[in-house]
Amino acid sequence: MLRRKILYSLLVIVTITSLLVACAPAKKSGSGGGGTLIVGRGGDSVILDAAAATDGESWRVAGEVIEPLVRLEGTSTKVIPWLAESWESKDGLTWVFHLRKSVKFHDGTAFNAAAVKWNFDRWMDANNQWRFGRTFEYFDTEFGENLKIVETKVVDDNTFQFTLATPSAVVLAKLALTSFAISSPTAVQKDGDKYGTAAGSTVGTGPFMFKEWVPNDKITLVRNPNWWGTGPKLDSLVFRSIPDNSARLAEFLAGTIHQADLAQTDMAAAEADPNIVNYNLPSLGVGYIAFQQCTKPFDNVDVRWAISMAINREALVKNFYTKQDTLAKGFQPPAIMGSNPNLPAIEYNPDKAKERLAAAGFADGLKTEFWYIPVIRGYFPDSKAIAEAIAVDLAKIGVTVELKTEDWGAYLDDRNQGKFPMWMLGWGSDNGDPDNFIGWHFAHPIGEPKQEDCYNNDKLSQLLLDGAKEPDVAKREKIYQDAEQIVHDDMPRLPVAWPASRTFFRKEVQGYTPVVFRSWYENLSVEAKK
Amino acid sequence: MLDTTAKEINRLAQDSVLSRKPRSLWGDAWRRMRYSITARIGMVVTLIIVLTAILSPIVDPYEPKLDADLDNARQPPSAEHIFGTDRLGRDIFRRIVHGASLSLSVGIVAVGTAGIAGTILGLVSGYFGGWTDMIIMRIMDILLAFPSMLLAIAIVAVRGNGLFNTIIAISFVGIPGYARLVRSMVLTLREQDFILAARMVGVRAPIIILRHILPNSLSPIIVNATLGIGGAILSAAALGFLGLGAQPPAPEWGSMISDGVPFLRQTPHMVFFPGMAIMLTVLGFNLLGDGLRDALDPQMRE
């Protein structure tokens, strides 16, 4: 939950005071030839020791300097090799990572299995002397009780291995988080408790090297000429904190910053400017309508399908969502592994809906409650109006819904306790893994449906439990696609929209591909201004 | 000559005064109301709103749960939709017209309930005095110590959203005002000679209260109630604005405003027209109430 908020808040903005500073104009020089890219954001980073960070602004900068073993591909959430060239696991319990060879940290020390083990041990052991009293909240949650690492091992100089307490395939997606990026042990030991702060340095293997951090003003990174990958093209990368939304927009329009996080209200102005390019990022979320299946009438699949076919979702998406959001064709958006492209469409057909309602024994219609969220969320941007429009659609097939809501905390509690017959809610992925998406919603211990919706399908549950453990990627994908098909047939939840987010660059920035979670600055370059 | 003329005039004057029908307080008040421009405006506005509320369901049956036309959402005012359309493409004029009965019934029922309950408490408290007075009025003081809107929100929060609970909440917070007013009327009336006379000849307390005290305190109650309707409509709109009043898709004015607020800059008509409806209605009742107060004031009697 916390991380989802933080990830989304990468694109949402905080307002405090205005801070205008002169900044270097983009110039073409140095070996990279890509110039300087300046990012304007709402707030400063907290700490660049990524494992200790809990906020998006910290990870965003840290991720350019220090790198994890694996990363997500970007346009999808497929796990790709990064500092680990390849990996293997026979049973999902023991994971072996073959590390990239002859990689050096920015301080010249070698990146090897011992360094990786040193980092893992630092995160794992609460009494490790190099923690400096920091807590590694994300390590504790991601590799906590359910997915504990019981042993780390240096197999040889370039092979690192750990053993889990229970088998899991989700571990790869978790390792892709910037929280688990590898720092230079030498640098951490040298800097002590200043490591990762403005007073110290941050040393990793990334495409950019830490140069300078002026708190609440800017963090400057410079090109790592010895990076193991191709690039980077940029000579330097500057993250400026400009808390005031309008000041940030003004600088962006003037061209003194190249990428800006914009407030929702400022997006129209940026869109209208011919020098600014708006990129729609792949969706990692879904807004859905769910049914309580312990009680009549939603225990009947015909009723759930009748409701689904009676709602004109296309009209909802067109009228109430931004034009970047799309109609949900399945529960998982395409960027998530296992999103099934072969699902039949859920058509809008009030006549068929009426037939199915009659088949279920409700020829004269039915009455129920429909709960709508009391807050604005990307997955339901105008929840009350959407609920009203849905109610009208349903009234047309004889289903009378009483629209209800309550304050957010009570809403979530009551939903968890299964008090709502029909309700709306949504989800945004935490780490891009399907276990955190379709698995989170529909996996339950065999024979014990969740209280929130009482949906009981042991076959689906078994698939999802298997999927969480299957180390083979192709097999895993197939499992989740099959799961999506079952969800489609049973219709325990009707997906409405896949909400997208956006990012804005000046048009002189070249090489950007819309991606999730990271901006891939190593691929970018800034064209010299004429 | 002079003498006879004076006598004549005196006689004529006496004749006319004597032959004139005696005016009642209410007749007098009605006459004064007609001569006051503000009172006349108040009467006309109120009448229009009352007629709208009564006639709209008969003239134009409206089913809010079937009303939506997403293709025509947020249209500015035009010949087809004179007040424009809202987020769901519903005609705002039509919804305002049908919302009149909601607002009006909240106002009248809430004020009626508060007025009756407050009057009974005030009569009892003022007439009997002593411990009864002490207990009732301290409870009223406690109620008055809460900001009335917060108290109403708390009541709705406990009882759940909806029009009925809104009415209960607004009635409840209105009670102390009437209780205080009536009590003070009773305190002055209780010591007057005609009440003393009635008590002396053995008329029982309930009869004195109902026959003698209540009718004499009626005019301030009526004035306050009329002014109170405006206030009650405002409170209902505020609760509706906060999403606590009538639930969607009911065409409640306050909730119509809150629906329009996110689009205030692009399509202000969504807020403007329901806002005007509330403003005019409240103004109408306030002018009427002011007119009534002036008209019923015994000091102003000619």
Side-chain angles (χ1 to χ4, degrees), chain A residues 315-316 318-320 372 382 384-385 388-389 391-392 395-396 400 403-406, chain B residues 64-68 70-71 73 87-88 90 95 161 247-249 255 258-259 263:
Chain A
L316 296 182
K318 186 174 147 242
N319 280 284
F320 298 111
Y372 62 94
D382 194 347
K384 185 182 167 205
E388 283 185 85
V392 172
K396 286 177 189 156
T400 308
L403 295 175
K404 303 195 88 160
T405 193
E406 60 188 343
Chain B
K65 70 171 189 180
L66 283 172
D67 187 15
L70 294 185
D71 293 335
R87 196 83 177 90
L88 267 74
R90 299 177 291 207
R95 282 174 67 78
N161 302 343
Q247 291 302 293
S255 67
S258 82
D259 286 352
F263 310 98

Side-chain angles (χ1 to χ4, degrees), chain A residues 193-267:
Chain A
D193 60 2
K194 290 199 181 69
Y195 181 77
T197 67
S201 69
T202 305
V203 180
T205 55
F208 296 94
M209 302 190 288
F210 177 84
K211 187 184 168 203
E212 183 196 23
W213 181 353
V214 183
N216 295 320
D217 179 8
K218 62 179 177 180
I219 299 178
T220 308
L221 309 180
V222 292
R223 180 172 188 272
N224 173 10
N226 303 316
W227 191 46
W228 54 267
T230 324
K233 293 174 184 157
L234 293 172
D235 293 317
S236 56
L237 175 59
V238 180
F239 291 89
R240 285 186 50 202
S241 312
I242 309 173
D244 185 76
N245 285 338
S246 351
R248 200 176 327 108
L249 176 69
E251 290 218 30
F252 192 39
L253 296 177
T256 51
I257 52 180
H258 303 105
Q259 182 189 19
D261 299 342
L262 296 178
Q264 198 71 38
T265 43
D266 291 335
M267 289 187 178

